Amino acid sequence: MTDTRTLWIRNPLACADSDAAGGVVIQGTRLLEKVAAGAQPRQAVDDTFDASRHVLLPGLVNTHHHFYQTLTRAYSPALNKELFPWLTTLYDVWANLDEAQLALASELAMVELLMSGCTTVADHHYVFSGALRDAIDCQVETARRLGVRASLTRGSMSLGQDDGGLPPQSVVQDERTILDDSQRLVERYHQRGDGAMTTIALAPCSPFSVSRELMQESARLAESHDVRLHTHLAETEDETDYCQRLFGMRPLDYLAECGWLSNRTWLAHGIHFNDDEILRLGRAGTGIAHCPSSNMVLGSGMCRTLELEAAGAPVGLAVDGSASNDHSNLANEMRQALLLGRLRYSPGEVTHQAVIRWATRGSARCLGRDDIGGLEPGQQADLALFRLDEPRFSGAENPLAALLLCGAHRADRVMVAGRWRVTDGKPCDVDLDSLMARHDQAARRLRSTL
Ligand SMILES: [Zn+2]
């Protein structure tokens, strides 16, 4: 579609935005108009897409992942463990990751996300070993080829076991190397403003794998280049104990001391915060990427989503890495968030609409964006359309609620910046069978290096 042609996604079966019950009109890469139920677009359109069998959502936004971990899914030695022993089991495998493996892992994960209705993907890649230096460059290339919007973060680990950290020395880099490469990536790839397809953020891995100096210097670099900051925080009680022991303070105090408690930052997990810390996060506008499946698999705990939102902190959704989830399906993750949320809050508070909000607008806010995550005119034409034509949906009365309650896991159509990237449930321009075969081979090769 050229920049001036218009397309009406007409009369969806249901829509997440009640003002767009008659669908949306797209022009080029953007949304032009919401159409009310039973109404016609204000101007004649060039094309129409009959959405009468589709549930229409803004494209889902994933706020945290580790694409490379698709190579170590359901890995026997790491099963049934909590975070720290799980990590120490896997570090030695991940240390042997090479660029060809990462390229396949990134493509597979992005395709899996796209197929689940996700139009913007965030990845946190922090493993840079001998054979893998240009990991982010490789991911940028893959995201561009697939036509998916990507927030790629230059992750890092600088605190190895020799210095009291958790990871082995083989996967840590020195601070100068990390900061220089971070600057290079921002200058080379980071796009600004509405419609950015590739953004770069800085992402030291966690308090137990990164030096204090790197946290502070990353915050300074992010501010001077006006890019975002991302890290894991408050995921487990072990991490809280580690921070008390090593820094003499709780994780959030450490974060604040390093200059990170701001609206430039979004945090993965954000589970073990007390009441006062939640208020501080809300005042600062720091975002939280809620990762329900991962938190359940590792037994880490439960994010206090509603208190964080009420305090003013953006709350988004994320599948997290595929060694702790182990799928990359954001539609499925919405169901997980709904069910987990109802263990803490009342069903009337954690509604399907609230969870859809986390996976769209909330996630977009975590990434610092207001041009995606909704169906407002002027926003990017990022859409996810689901059909309810599987046995699991048969007999459902409320199509929007059915997505979560019946367990939607595969979008029929996905549009990114006005371009269809999934049609009839299949990713465009991707040979899925070949990709899976090559990815599985790469996983076997990686496991065999141990
Ligand atoms: Zn993670």
PDB file of all heavy atoms in Angstrom, residues 48-83:
ATOM      1  N   THR A  48     -11.072  -2.282   0.960  1.00  0.00           N
ATOM      2  CA  THR A  48     -11.658  -2.713   2.231  1.00  0.00           C
ATOM      3  C   THR A  48     -11.179  -4.131   2.535  1.00  0.00           C
ATOM      4  O   THR A  48     -10.870  -4.908   1.622  1.00  0.00           O
ATOM      5  CB  THR A  48     -13.209  -2.732   2.191  1.00  0.00           C
ATOM      6  OG1 THR A  48     -13.625  -3.589   1.132  1.00  0.00           O
ATOM      7  CG2 THR A  48     -13.770  -1.348   1.992  1.00  0.00           C
ATOM      8  N   PHE A  49     -11.119  -4.436   3.826  1.00  0.00           N
ATOM      9  CA  PHE A  49     -10.857  -5.799   4.269  1.00  0.00           C
ATOM     10  C   PHE A  49     -12.028  -6.191   5.153  1.00  0.00           C
ATOM     11  O   PHE A  49     -12.293  -5.533   6.173  1.00  0.00           O
ATOM     12  CB  PHE A  49      -9.529  -5.878   5.040  1.00  0.00           C
ATOM     13  CG  PHE A  49      -9.273  -7.233   5.632  1.00  0.00           C
ATOM     14  CD1 PHE A  49      -8.737  -8.258   4.864  1.00  0.00           C
ATOM     15  CD2 PHE A  49      -9.615  -7.506   6.959  1.00  0.00           C
ATOM     16  CE1 PHE A  49      -8.533  -9.520   5.398  1.00  0.00           C
ATOM     17  CE2 PHE A  49      -9.414  -8.769   7.504  1.00  0.00           C
ATOM     18  CZ  PHE A  49      -8.866  -9.775   6.721  1.00  0.00           C
ATOM     19  N   ASP A  50     -12.717  -7.231   4.788  1.00  0.00           N
ATOM     20  CA  ASP A  50     -13.880  -7.679   5.546  1.00  0.00           C
ATOM     21  C   ASP A  50     -13.410  -8.387   6.819  1.00  0.00           C
ATOM     22  O   ASP A  50     -12.864  -9.486   6.756  1.00  0.00           O
ATOM     23  CB  ASP A  50     -14.700  -8.633   4.674  1.00  0.00           C
ATOM     24  CG  ASP A  50     -15.879  -9.221   5.434  1.00  0.00           C
ATOM     25  OD1 ASP A  50     -16.131  -8.795   6.583  1.00  0.00           O
ATOM     26  OD2 ASP A  50     -16.550 -10.113   4.879  1.00  0.00           O
ATOM     27  N   ALA A  51     -13.616  -7.730   7.967  1.00  0.00           N
ATOM     28  CA  ALA A  51     -13.142  -8.284   9.240  1.00  0.00           C
ATOM     29  C   ALA A  51     -14.286  -8.882  10.057  1.00  0.00           C
ATOM     30  O   ALA A  51     -14.166  -9.048  11.271  1.00  0.00           O
ATOM     31  CB  ALA A  51     -12.428  -7.205  10.041  1.00  0.00           C
ATOM     32  N   SER A  52     -15.389  -9.225   9.377  1.00  0.00           N
ATOM     33  CA  SER A  52     -16.580  -9.639  10.121  1.00  0.00           C
ATOM     34  C   SER A  52     -16.378 -10.951  10.880  1.00  0.00           C
ATOM     35  O   SER A  52     -17.186 -11.297  11.730  1.00  0.00           O
ATOM     36  CB  SER A  52     -17.782  -9.744   9.174  1.00  0.00           C
ATOM     37  OG  SER A  52     -17.497 -10.654   8.129  1.00  0.00           O
ATOM     38  N   ARG A  53     -15.303 -11.673  10.560  1.00  0.00           N
ATOM     39  CA  ARG A  53     -15.024 -12.902  11.330  1.00  0.00           C
ATOM     40  C   ARG A  53     -13.790 -12.742  12.216  1.00  0.00           C
ATOM     41  O   ARG A  53     -13.229 -13.724  12.710  1.00  0.00           O
ATOM     42  CB  ARG A  53     -14.840 -14.082  10.367  1.00  0.00           C
ATOM     43  CG  ARG A  53     -16.114 -14.349   9.555  1.00  0.00           C
ATOM     44  CD  ARG A  53     -15.978 -15.532   8.654  1.00  0.00           C
ATOM     45  NE  ARG A  53     -15.859 -16.782   9.405  1.00  0.00           N
ATOM     46  CZ  ARG A  53     -15.659 -17.959   8.834  1.00  0.00           C
ATOM     47  NH1 ARG A  53     -15.552 -18.048   7.522  1.00  0.00           N
ATOM     48  NH2 ARG A  53     -15.555 -19.054   9.568  1.00  0.00           N
ATOM     49  N   HIS A  54     -13.349 -11.495  12.383  1.00  0.00           N
ATOM     50  CA  HIS A  54     -12.125 -11.248  13.158  1.00  0.00           C
ATOM     51  C   HIS A  54     -12.391 -10.388  14.397  1.00  0.00           C
ATOM     52  O   HIS A  54     -13.194  -9.461  14.349  1.00  0.00           O
ATOM     53  CB  HIS A  54     -11.087 -10.517  12.310  1.00  0.00           C
ATOM     54  CG  HIS A  54     -10.523 -11.347  11.192  1.00  0.00           C
ATOM     55  ND1 HIS A  54     -11.117 -11.430   9.959  1.00  0.00           N
ATOM     56  CD2 HIS A  54      -9.410 -12.115  11.132  1.00  0.00           C
ATOM     57  CE1 HIS A  54     -10.396 -12.223   9.175  1.00  0.00           C
ATOM     58  NE2 HIS A  54      -9.353 -12.657   9.862  1.00  0.00           N
ATOM     59  N   VAL A  55     -11.652 -10.688  15.466  1.00  0.00           N
ATOM     60  CA  VAL A  55     -11.583  -9.804  16.629  1.00  0.00           C
ATOM     61  C   VAL A  55     -10.364  -8.913  16.419  1.00  0.00           C
ATOM     62  O   VAL A  55      -9.263  -9.409  16.168  1.00  0.00           O
ATOM     63  CB  VAL A  55     -11.443 -10.605  17.938  1.00  0.00           C
ATOM     64  CG1 VAL A  55     -11.371  -9.659  19.126  1.00  0.00           C
ATOM     65  CG2 VAL A  55     -12.617 -11.576  18.096  1.00  0.00           C
ATOM     66  N   LEU A  56     -10.584  -7.602  16.506  1.00  0.00           N
ATOM     67  CA  LEU A  56      -9.532  -6.636  16.182  1.00  0.00           C
ATOM     68  C   LEU A  56      -8.920  -6.046  17.451  1.00  0.00           C
ATOM     69  O   LEU A  56      -9.633  -5.504  18.299  1.00  0.00           O
ATOM     70  CB  LEU A  56     -10.143  -5.514  15.326  1.00  0.00           C
ATOM     71  CG  LEU A  56      -9.254  -4.309  15.000  1.00  0.00           C
ATOM     72  CD1 LEU A  56      -8.041  -4.723  14.175  1.00  0.00           C
ATOM     73  CD2 LEU A  56     -10.071  -3.242  14.261  1.00  0.00           C
ATOM     74  N   LEU A  57      -7.596  -6.148  17.550  1.00  0.00           N
ATOM     75  CA  LEU A  57      -6.864  -5.539  18.662  1.00  0.00           C
ATOM     76  C   LEU A  57      -5.753  -4.657  18.093  1.00  0.00           C
ATOM     77  O   LEU A  57      -5.263  -4.911  16.989  1.00  0.00           O
ATOM     78  CB  LEU A  57      -6.170  -6.599  19.535  1.00  0.00           C
ATOM     79  CG  LEU A  57      -6.947  -7.729  20.173  1.00  0.00           C
ATOM     80  CD1 LEU A  57      -6.021  -8.529  21.083  1.00  0.00           C
ATOM     81  CD2 LEU A  57      -8.115  -7.200  20.973  1.00  0.00           C
ATOM     82  N   PRO A  58      -5.319  -3.642  18.853  1.00  0.00           N
ATOM     83  CA  PRO A  58      -4.064  -3.006  18.476  1.00  0.00           C
ATOM     84  C   PRO A  58      -2.979  -4.087  18.519  1.00  0.00           C
ATOM     85  O   PRO A  58      -3.092  -5.050  19.287  1.00  0.00           O
ATOM     86  CB  PRO A  58      -3.833  -1.982  19.596  1.00  0.00           C
ATOM     87  CG  PRO A  58      -5.136  -1.848  20.307  1.00  0.00           C
ATOM     88  CD  PRO A  58      -5.862  -3.142  20.132  1.00  0.00           C
ATOM     89  N   GLY A  59      -1.951  -3.975  17.692  1.00  0.00           N
ATOM     90  CA  GLY A  59      -0.868  -4.954  17.739  1.00  0.00           C
ATOM     91  C   GLY A  59      -0.331  -5.086  19.158  1.00  0.00           C
ATOM     92  O   GLY A  59      -0.170  -4.096  19.869  1.00  0.00           O
ATOM     93  N   LEU A  60      -0.095  -6.330  19.597  1.00  0.00           N
ATOM     94  CA  LEU A  60       0.411  -6.542  20.954  1.00  0.00           C
ATOM     95  C   LEU A  60       1.886  -6.138  21.012  1.00  0.00           C
ATOM     96  O   LEU A  60       2.604  -6.199  20.010  1.00  0.00           O
ATOM     97  CB  LEU A  60       0.249  -8.013  21.352  1.00  0.00           C
ATOM     98  CG  LEU A  60      -1.161  -8.605  21.187  1.00  0.00           C
ATOM     99  CD1 LEU A  60      -1.186 -10.073  21.657  1.00  0.00           C
ATOM    100  CD2 LEU A  60      -2.194  -7.787  21.948  1.00  0.00           C
ATOM    101  N   VAL A  61       2.315  -5.744  22.204  1.00  0.00           N
ATOM    102  CA  VAL A  61       3.681  -5.239  22.387  1.00  0.00           C
ATOM    103  C   VAL A  61       4.360  -6.066  23.473  1.00  0.00           C
ATOM    104  O   VAL A  61       3.880  -6.101  24.610  1.00  0.00           O
ATOM    105  CB  VAL A  61       3.657  -3.740  22.792  1.00  0.00           C
ATOM    106  CG1 VAL A  61       5.073  -3.223  23.036  1.00  0.00           C
ATOM    107  CG2 VAL A  61       2.954  -2.902  21.717  1.00  0.00           C
ATOM    108  N   ASN A  62       5.428  -6.752  23.115  1.00  0.00           N
ATOM    109  CA  ASN A  62       6.145  -7.556  24.110  1.00  0.00           C
ATOM    110  C   ASN A  62       7.310  -6.756  24.676  1.00  0.00           C
ATOM    111  O   ASN A  62       8.127  -6.227  23.927  1.00  0.00           O
ATOM    112  CB  ASN A  62       6.675  -8.848  23.485  1.00  0.00           C
ATOM    113  CG  ASN A  62       7.167  -9.801  24.542  1.00  0.00           C
ATOM    114  OD1 ASN A  62       6.447 -10.068  25.510  1.00  0.00           O
ATOM    115  ND2 ASN A  62       8.387 -10.294  24.409  1.00  0.00           N
ATOM    116  N   THR A  63       7.417  -6.689  26.007  1.00  0.00           N
ATOM    117  CA  THR A  63       8.372  -5.761  26.612  1.00  0.00           C
ATOM    118  C   THR A  63       9.645  -6.413  27.151  1.00  0.00           C
ATOM    119  O   THR A  63      10.530  -5.708  27.635  1.00  0.00           O
ATOM    120  CB  THR A  63       7.697  -5.008  27.778  1.00  0.00           C
ATOM    121  OG1 THR A  63       7.086  -5.977  28.650  1.00  0.00           O
ATOM    122  CG2 THR A  63       6.644  -4.053  27.266  1.00  0.00           C
ATOM    123  N   HIS A  64       9.738  -7.748  27.070  1.00  0.00           N
ATOM    124  CA  HIS A  64      10.946  -8.389  27.622  1.00  0.00           C
ATOM    125  C   HIS A  64      11.063  -9.810  27.090  1.00  0.00           C
ATOM    126  O   HIS A  64      10.082 -10.571  27.122  1.00  0.00           O
ATOM    127  CB  HIS A  64      10.872  -8.405  29.148  1.00  0.00           C
ATOM    128  CG  HIS A  64      12.077  -8.987  29.827  1.00  0.00           C
ATOM    129  ND1 HIS A  64      13.302  -8.344  29.859  1.00  0.00           N
ATOM    130  CD2 HIS A  64      12.262 -10.164  30.480  1.00  0.00           C
ATOM    131  CE1 HIS A  64      14.181  -9.099  30.518  1.00  0.00           C
ATOM    132  NE2 HIS A  64      13.570 -10.222  30.907  1.00  0.00           N
ATOM    133  N   HIS A  65      12.236 -10.129  26.606  1.00  0.00           N
ATOM    134  CA  HIS A  65      12.477 -11.462  26.052  1.00  0.00           C
ATOM    135  C   HIS A  65      13.986 -11.680  26.045  1.00  0.00           C
ATOM    136  O   HIS A  65      14.771 -10.747  26.229  1.00  0.00           O
ATOM    137  CB  HIS A  65      11.920 -11.523  24.620  1.00  0.00           C
ATOM    138  CG  HIS A  65      11.627 -12.924  24.116  1.00  0.00           C
ATOM    139  ND1 HIS A  65      12.431 -14.004  24.385  1.00  0.00           N
ATOM    140  CD2 HIS A  65      10.617 -13.393  23.337  1.00  0.00           C
ATOM    141  CE1 HIS A  65      11.910 -15.087  23.805  1.00  0.00           C
ATOM    142  NE2 HIS A  65      10.804 -14.744  23.164  1.00  0.00           N
ATOM    143  N   HIS A  66      14.365 -12.945  25.846  1.00  0.00           N
ATOM    144  CA  HIS A  66      15.763 -13.273  25.523  1.00  0.00           C
ATOM    145  C   HIS A  66      15.652 -14.268  24.376  1.00  0.00           C
ATOM    146  O   HIS A  66      15.504 -15.471  24.600  1.00  0.00           O
ATOM    147  CB  HIS A  66      16.486 -13.896  26.717  1.00  0.00           C
ATOM    148  CG  HIS A  66      16.299 -13.123  27.988  1.00  0.00           C
ATOM    149  ND1 HIS A  66      16.951 -11.941  28.234  1.00  0.00           N
ATOM    150  CD2 HIS A  66      15.521 -13.353  29.071  1.00  0.00           C
ATOM    151  CE1 HIS A  66      16.571 -11.469  29.413  1.00  0.00           C
ATOM    152  NE2 HIS A  66      15.709 -12.315  29.944  1.00  0.00           N
ATOM    153  N   PHE A  67      15.720 -13.740  23.153  1.00  0.00           N
ATOM    154  CA  PHE A  67      15.480 -14.585  21.979  1.00  0.00           C
ATOM    155  C   PHE A  67      16.364 -15.824  21.970  1.00  0.00           C
ATOM    156  O   PHE A  67      15.950 -16.911  21.558  1.00  0.00           O
ATOM    157  CB  PHE A  67      15.752 -13.810  20.681  1.00  0.00           C
ATOM    158  CG  PHE A  67      14.805 -12.669  20.407  1.00  0.00           C
ATOM    159  CD1 PHE A  67      15.210 -11.619  19.581  1.00  0.00           C
ATOM    160  CD2 PHE A  67      13.520 -12.631  20.925  1.00  0.00           C
ATOM    161  CE1 PHE A  67      14.354 -10.565  19.299  1.00  0.00           C
ATOM    162  CE2 PHE A  67      12.658 -11.574  20.652  1.00  0.00           C
ATOM    163  CZ  PHE A  67      13.094 -10.535  19.831  1.00  0.00           C
ATOM    164  N   TYR A  68      17.630 -15.640  22.374  1.00  0.00           N
ATOM    165  CA  TYR A  68      18.595 -16.754  22.278  1.00  0.00           C
ATOM    166  C   TYR A  68      18.142 -17.974  23.083  1.00  0.00           C
ATOM    167  O   TYR A  68      18.530 -19.110  22.794  1.00  0.00           O
ATOM    168  CB  TYR A  68      19.996 -16.296  22.716  1.00  0.00           C
ATOM    169  CG  TYR A  68      20.139 -16.092  24.205  1.00  0.00           C
ATOM    170  CD1 TYR A  68      20.563 -17.134  25.024  1.00  0.00           C
ATOM    171  CD2 TYR A  68      19.845 -14.876  24.792  1.00  0.00           C
ATOM    172  CE1 TYR A  68      20.681 -16.960  26.389  1.00  0.00           C
ATOM    173  CE2 TYR A  68      19.957 -14.688  26.154  1.00  0.00           C
ATOM    174  CZ  TYR A  68      20.379 -15.736  26.948  1.00  0.00           C
ATOM    175  OH  TYR A  68      20.488 -15.566  28.297  1.00  0.00           O
ATOM    176  N   GLN A  69      17.299 -17.732  24.095  1.00  0.00           N
ATOM    177  CA  GLN A  69      16.902 -18.855  24.953  1.00  0.00           C
ATOM    178  C   GLN A  69      15.942 -19.834  24.272  1.00  0.00           C
ATOM    179  O   GLN A  69      15.678 -20.912  24.810  1.00  0.00           O
ATOM    180  CB  GLN A  69      16.284 -18.328  26.252  1.00  0.00           C
ATOM    181  CG  GLN A  69      17.301 -17.639  27.144  1.00  0.00           C
ATOM    182  CD  GLN A  69      16.704 -17.150  28.457  1.00  0.00           C
ATOM    183  OE1 GLN A  69      15.557 -17.444  28.785  1.00  0.00           O
ATOM    184  NE2 GLN A  69      17.493 -16.386  29.211  1.00  0.00           N
ATOM    185  N   THR A  70      15.454 -19.476  23.073  1.00  0.00           N
ATOM    186  CA  THR A  70      14.641 -20.468  22.356  1.00  0.00           C
ATOM    187  C   THR A  70      15.484 -21.714  22.041  1.00  0.00           C
ATOM    188  O   THR A  70      14.935 -22.771  21.738  1.00  0.00           O
ATOM    189  CB  THR A  70      14.087 -19.907  21.026  1.00  0.00           C
ATOM    190  OG1 THR A  70      15.176 -19.464  20.206  1.00  0.00           O
ATOM    191  CG2 THR A  70      13.126 -18.747  21.265  1.00  0.00           C
ATOM    192  N   LEU A  71      16.811 -21.567  22.118  1.00  0.00           N
ATOM    193  CA  LEU A  71      17.694 -22.717  21.858  1.00  0.00           C
ATOM    194  C   LEU A  71      17.841 -23.625  23.079  1.00  0.00           C
ATOM    195  O   LEU A  71      18.420 -24.719  22.970  1.00  0.00           O
ATOM    196  CB  LEU A  71      19.083 -22.218  21.421  1.00  0.00           C
ATOM    197  CG  LEU A  71      19.092 -21.414  20.106  1.00  0.00           C
ATOM    198  CD1 LEU A  71      20.419 -20.671  19.961  1.00  0.00           C
ATOM    199  CD2 LEU A  71      18.861 -22.328  18.906  1.00  0.00           C
ATOM    200  N   THR A  72      17.372 -23.185  24.226  1.00  0.00           N
ATOM    201  CA  THR A  72      17.497 -24.014  25.443  1.00  0.00           C
ATOM    202  C   THR A  72      16.142 -24.170  26.135  1.00  0.00           C
ATOM    203  O   THR A  72      16.022 -24.095  27.350  1.00  0.00           O
ATOM    204  CB  THR A  72      18.525 -23.413  26.433  1.00  0.00           C
ATOM    205  OG1 THR A  72      18.254 -22.015  26.615  1.00  0.00           O
ATOM    206  CG2 THR A  72      19.935 -23.584  25.926  1.00  0.00           C
ATOM    207  N   ARG A  73      15.116 -24.393  25.315  1.00  0.00           N
ATOM    208  CA  ARG A  73      13.790 -24.641  25.878  1.00  0.00           C
ATOM    209  C   ARG A  73      13.731 -26.032  26.505  1.00  0.00           C
ATOM    210  O   ARG A  73      14.342 -26.966  25.982  1.00  0.00           O
ATOM    211  CB  ARG A  73      12.744 -24.611  24.761  1.00  0.00           C
ATOM    212  CG  ARG A  73      12.366 -23.250  24.317  1.00  0.00           C
ATOM    213  CD  ARG A  73      11.492 -23.359  23.087  1.00  0.00           C
ATOM    214  NE  ARG A  73      10.749 -22.142  22.922  1.00  0.00           N
ATOM    215  CZ  ARG A  73      10.380 -21.642  21.747  1.00  0.00           C
ATOM    216  NH1 ARG A  73      10.667 -22.274  20.634  1.00  0.00           N
ATOM    217  NH2 ARG A  73       9.721 -20.523  21.685  1.00  0.00           N
ATOM    218  N   ALA A  74      12.973 -26.134  27.566  1.00  0.00           N
ATOM    219  CA  ALA A  74      12.711 -27.438  28.184  1.00  0.00           C
ATOM    220  C   ALA A  74      13.990 -28.282  28.236  1.00  0.00           C
ATOM    221  O   ALA A  74      14.016 -29.439  27.825  1.00  0.00           O
ATOM    222  CB  ALA A  74      11.620 -28.172  27.402  1.00  0.00           C
ATOM    223  N   TYR A  75      15.038 -27.660  28.735  1.00  0.00           N
ATOM    224  CA  TYR A  75      16.367 -28.279  28.777  1.00  0.00           C
ATOM    225  C   TYR A  75      16.491 -29.059  30.097  1.00  0.00           C
ATOM    226  O   TYR A  75      16.464 -28.456  31.186  1.00  0.00           O
ATOM    227  CB  TYR A  75      17.415 -27.166  28.663  1.00  0.00           C
ATOM    228  CG  TYR A  75      18.841 -27.596  28.754  1.00  0.00           C
ATOM    229  CD1 TYR A  75      19.377 -28.534  27.872  1.00  0.00           C
ATOM    230  CD2 TYR A  75      19.691 -27.039  29.717  1.00  0.00           C
ATOM    231  CE1 TYR A  75      20.709 -28.916  27.951  1.00  0.00           C
ATOM    232  CE2 TYR A  75      21.019 -27.411  29.799  1.00  0.00           C
ATOM    233  CZ  TYR A  75      21.521 -28.352  28.914  1.00  0.00           C
ATOM    234  OH  TYR A  75      22.834 -28.732  28.989  1.00  0.00           O
ATOM    235  N   SER A  76      16.628 -30.348  30.001  1.00  0.00           N
ATOM    236  CA  SER A  76      16.500 -31.198  31.197  1.00  0.00           C
ATOM    237  C   SER A  76      17.326 -30.752  32.400  1.00  0.00           C
ATOM    238  O   SER A  76      16.789 -30.682  33.515  1.00  0.00           O
ATOM    239  CB  SER A  76      16.843 -32.655  30.841  1.00  0.00           C
ATOM    240  OG  SER A  76      15.863 -33.159  29.985  1.00  0.00           O
ATOM    241  N   PRO A  77      18.632 -30.448  32.235  1.00  0.00           N
ATOM    242  CA  PRO A  77      19.412 -30.086  33.434  1.00  0.00           C
ATOM    243  C   PRO A  77      18.901 -28.838  34.159  1.00  0.00           C
ATOM    244  O   PRO A  77      19.222 -28.631  35.333  1.00  0.00           O
ATOM    245  CB  PRO A  77      20.823 -29.830  32.865  1.00  0.00           C
ATOM    246  CG  PRO A  77      20.872 -30.602  31.586  1.00  0.00           C
ATOM    247  CD  PRO A  77      19.480 -30.535  31.027  1.00  0.00           C
ATOM    248  N   ALA A  78      18.132 -27.990  33.457  1.00  0.00           N
ATOM    249  CA  ALA A  78      17.675 -26.740  34.092  1.00  0.00           C
ATOM    250  C   ALA A  78      16.227 -26.807  34.584  1.00  0.00           C
ATOM    251  O   ALA A  78      15.717 -25.832  35.128  1.00  0.00           O
ATOM    252  CB  ALA A  78      17.822 -25.581  33.105  1.00  0.00           C
ATOM    253  N   LEU A  79      15.595 -27.948  34.413  1.00  0.00           N
ATOM    254  CA  LEU A  79      14.183 -28.053  34.805  1.00  0.00           C
ATOM    255  C   LEU A  79      14.016 -28.002  36.320  1.00  0.00           C
ATOM    256  O   LEU A  79      14.904 -28.415  37.067  1.00  0.00           O
ATOM    257  CB  LEU A  79      13.583 -29.366  34.291  1.00  0.00           C
ATOM    258  CG  LEU A  79      13.477 -29.548  32.778  1.00  0.00           C
ATOM    259  CD1 LEU A  79      12.885 -30.925  32.466  1.00  0.00           C
ATOM    260  CD2 LEU A  79      12.646 -28.447  32.145  1.00  0.00           C
ATOM    261  N   ASN A  80      12.862 -27.497  36.730  1.00  0.00           N
ATOM    262  CA  ASN A  80      12.430 -27.595  38.127  1.00  0.00           C
ATOM    263  C   ASN A  80      13.378 -26.924  39.117  1.00  0.00           C
ATOM    264  O   ASN A  80      13.632 -27.426  40.204  1.00  0.00           O
ATOM    265  CB  ASN A  80      12.231 -29.075  38.513  1.00  0.00           C
ATOM    266  CG  ASN A  80      11.428 -29.818  37.462  1.00  0.00           C
ATOM    267  OD1 ASN A  80      10.520 -29.241  36.865  1.00  0.00           O
ATOM    268  ND2 ASN A  80      11.768 -31.067  37.195  1.00  0.00           N
ATOM    269  N   LYS A  81      13.920 -25.775  38.685  1.00  0.00           N
ATOM    270  CA  LYS A  81      14.842 -25.027  39.554  1.00  0.00           C
ATOM    271  C   LYS A  81      14.341 -23.595  39.753  1.00  0.00           C
ATOM    272  O   LYS A  81      13.575 -23.076  38.936  1.00  0.00           O
ATOM    273  CB  LYS A  81      16.234 -24.975  38.903  1.00  0.00           C
ATOM    274  CG  LYS A  81      16.994 -26.298  38.871  1.00  0.00           C
ATOM    275  CD  LYS A  81      18.373 -26.089  38.220  1.00  0.00           C
ATOM    276  CE  LYS A  81      19.365 -27.170  38.563  1.00  0.00           C
ATOM    277  NZ  LYS A  81      19.004 -28.509  38.074  1.00  0.00           N
ATOM    278  N   GLU A  82      14.835 -22.955  40.818  1.00  0.00           N
ATOM    279  CA  GLU A  82      14.578 -21.532  41.003  1.00  0.00           C
ATOM    280  C   GLU A  82      15.623 -20.727  40.227  1.00  0.00           C
ATOM    281  O   GLU A  82      16.563 -21.293  39.660  1.00  0.00           O
ATOM    282  CB  GLU A  82      14.610 -21.181  42.493  1.00  0.00           C
ATOM    283  CG  GLU A  82      13.444 -21.808  43.241  1.00  0.00           C
ATOM    284  CD  GLU A  82      13.360 -21.376  44.697  1.00  0.00           C
ATOM    285  OE1 GLU A  82      14.272 -20.638  45.152  1.00  0.00           O
ATOM    286  OE2 GLU A  82      12.399 -21.774  45.368  1.00  0.00           O
ATOM    287  N   LEU A  83      15.451 -19.402  40.232  1.00  0.00           N
ATOM    288  CA  LEU A  83      16.236 -18.554  39.324  1.00  0.00           C
ATOM    289  C   LEU A  83      17.761 -18.759  39.411  1.00  0.00           C
ATOM    290  O   LEU A  83      18.410 -19.002  38.380  1.00  0.00           O
ATOM    291  CB  LEU A  83      15.916 -17.069  39.571  1.00  0.00           C
ATOM    292  CG  LEU A  83      16.683 -16.100  38.670  1.00  0.00           C
ATOM    293  CD1 LEU A  83      16.200 -16.181  37.230  1.00  0.00           C
ATOM    294  CD2 LEU A  83      16.560 -14.661  39.177  1.00  0.00           C
TER     295      LEU A  83
END
